[in-house]
Each structure stands twice: as C-alpha cells, then as structure tokens.
Amino acid sequence: QVQLVESGGGLVQPGGSLRLSCAASVTLFDSYAMAWYRQAPGEQRELVAGVTSDGGTNYSDSVKGRFTNSRDNAKNTVYLQMNSLFPEDTAVYYCNAIQFPYLDWGKGTLVIVSA
C-alpha cells in the first residue's frame, strides 16, 4: 500500500521558516513528478510547488521566491523549505504526484503562521 507521510509543520511567527518533509513508500519513486499542495480552512486544495523526477521545480505565484522544493530520490523524500512565511500561508500541507494518477493522500502537516 502506498503511503505518503508529511511532517515538519508547526506554529511559526510571520517572517519565520519551516522545512516540511514527505516520505513516500512507493516503488519507482524517482519516476514520479511530485508536488506540494495546501488547503486552508474553508478553501480548496491548491498546488503550490512541484518538482520533476530530475529535480526541476515550479511554484505558484503566491510562494515563488519564498519556498524551495527539492527531493532526495535515494530516500524517497521530497522537501519544502518555506521562508518569509505570511499568515496566509496557514494551511494543511500535503504532498502527492503532480498529476493523475495520484497516490493515496496522506494526513498532511499543519502549518500555522501567527504572532
């Protein structure tokens, strides 16, 4: 069974940083283009950052220049370094494939940006 386990969330002050991790128990992980998504309260889930199988990245305009997406295929893990956090970055963050077919969604990790 495929598992995605996100970690690294927490409470941080505006302007602070967090590093999220997502460990994937899936075969041929290095063949998947992966993405980070987030869902704020009352909002739809949105894609914020993607990383291709060979490490190419792309970002939504809302996080570009502040977030950095990376992966370690040897560890079946993707990372999201988040800097200069704003209160509007508050959300549950998930990782998954960047396009269909998606893997089973994990529980996500909660990020709260508040003074």
Side-chain angles (χ1 to χ4, degrees):
Q1 181 179 357
V2 174
Q3 267 197 319
L4 295 169
V5 180
E6 300 90 350
S7 62
L11 173 63
V12 62
Q13 293 187 341
S17 298
L18 282 174
R19 188 192 194 207
L20 308 184
S21 299
C22 170
S25 60
V26 59
T27 57
L28 300 177
F29 171 78
D30 56 359
S31 68
Y32 285 87
M34 296 294 292
W36 284 95
Y37 302 80
R38 68 184 181 187
Q39 187 167 19
E43 302 289 335
Q44 289 189 336
R45 191 174 294 171
E46 63 169 339
L47 190 153
V48 295
V51 58
T52 62
S53 57
D54 60 357
T57 56
N58 58 78
Y59 303 92
S60 67
D61 288 344
S62 61
V63 307
K64 194 174 297 182
R66 300 188 296 122
F67 290 11
T68 303
N69 199 6
S70 62
R71 67 190 296 158
D72 185 337
N73 288 332
K75 296 182 178 180
N76 278 24
T77 301
V78 293
Y79 304 97
L80 187 67
Q81 177 67 42
M82 306 188 296
N83 299 327
S84 303
L85 285 161
F86 301 145
E88 49 264 42
D89 294 316
T90 294
V92 179
Y93 284 72
Y94 304 85
C95 69
N96 209 315
I98 203 168
Q99 61 187 14
F100 184 85
Y102 297 102
L103 306 170
D104 292 337
W105 291 92
K107 295 181 179 180
T109 186
L110 176 62
V111 172
I112 300 174
V113 185
S114 175

